Amino acid sequence: MQKLHDEPDMEKRNLARAYDGLREGDFKNEYFTAWKDGQTGFPMVDACMRALHKSGWINFRMRAMLVSFASYDLWLHWRPTSLYLARQFLDYEPGIHYPQFQMQSGTTGMNTFRVYSPTKQVQDHDPQVRNTF
């Protein structure tokens, strides 16, 4: 909660204002819908979204991959995707959610970009492809 206490606007605007306007004008609702519905065509992304819909929980690495994929591959602004996931996570905690979301989407201005490859995540976490399809 400390981060949110120190930066209360973190849930509404980019922590680093230099990134304002980065993705807002390019928002594609069809990409957002495919991401939400687990219909992106990327098996690990879609499997994670299905698991989240079913249980309300996925581990940190898969959360980070969903955010990274939405932010970098689909070029979606973090705000709508963060609001959507906030409603999905049973363990949603705003003081953790928004700082992590901005870090994973590259809008803090103090962290390197973290791009999680869905293909690498399959290789590392589901090499026999048992849970991805």
Side-chain angles (χ1 to χ4, degrees):
M1 292 301 290
Q2 185 66 39
K3 281 233 184 239
L4 198 54
H5 181 268
D6 292 343
E7 298 282 346
D9 288 339
M10 181 181 283
E11 64 182 297
K12 297 181 180 81
R13 65 175 181 82
N14 294 324
L15 186 59
R17 301 309 302 263
Y19 294 111
D20 288 356
L22 179 64
R23 296 181 181 107
E24 290 92 337
D26 295 327
F27 196 85
K28 295 193 174 33
N29 279 315
E30 64 273 18
Y31 290 3
F32 183 53
T33 299
W35 178 80
K36 288 189 313 182
D37 294 346
Q39 298 293 318
T40 66
F42 286 79
M44 184 60 106
V45 173
D46 297 344
C48 286
M49 203 56 92
R50 286 192 308 271
L52 179 59
H53 293 156
K54 186 175 180 178
S55 70
W57 186 88
I58 53 176
N59 69 37
F60 175 79
R61 181 165 295 277
M62 296 304 108
R63 293 176 191 218
M65 184 198 57
L66 286 179
V67 175
S68 169
F69 186 83
S71 297
Y72 297 109
D73 295 278
L74 301 180
W75 203 246
L76 298 173
H77 190 272
W78 65 268
R79 180 78 174 127
T81 55
S82 71
L83 292 172
Y84 178 77
L85 289 181
R87 290 188 299 269
Q88 305 309 306
F89 293 140
L90 292 175
D91 60 348
Y92 166 72
E93 167 55 58
I96 296 169
H97 184 74
Y98 291 107
Q100 284 297 320
F101 224 98
Q102 288 216 38
M103 184 185 321
Q104 300 304 334
S105 62
T107 57
T108 64
M110 60 185 99
N111 301 96
T112 58
F113 296 126
R114 297 173 183 207
V115 180
Y116 290 79
S117 164
T119 302
K120 184 174 184 322
Q121 298 310 310
V122 169
Q123 292 167 348
D124 291 352
H125 302 287
D126 192 15
Q128 282 78 41
V129 194
R130 292 185 184 137
N131 301 301
T132 307
F133 289 95

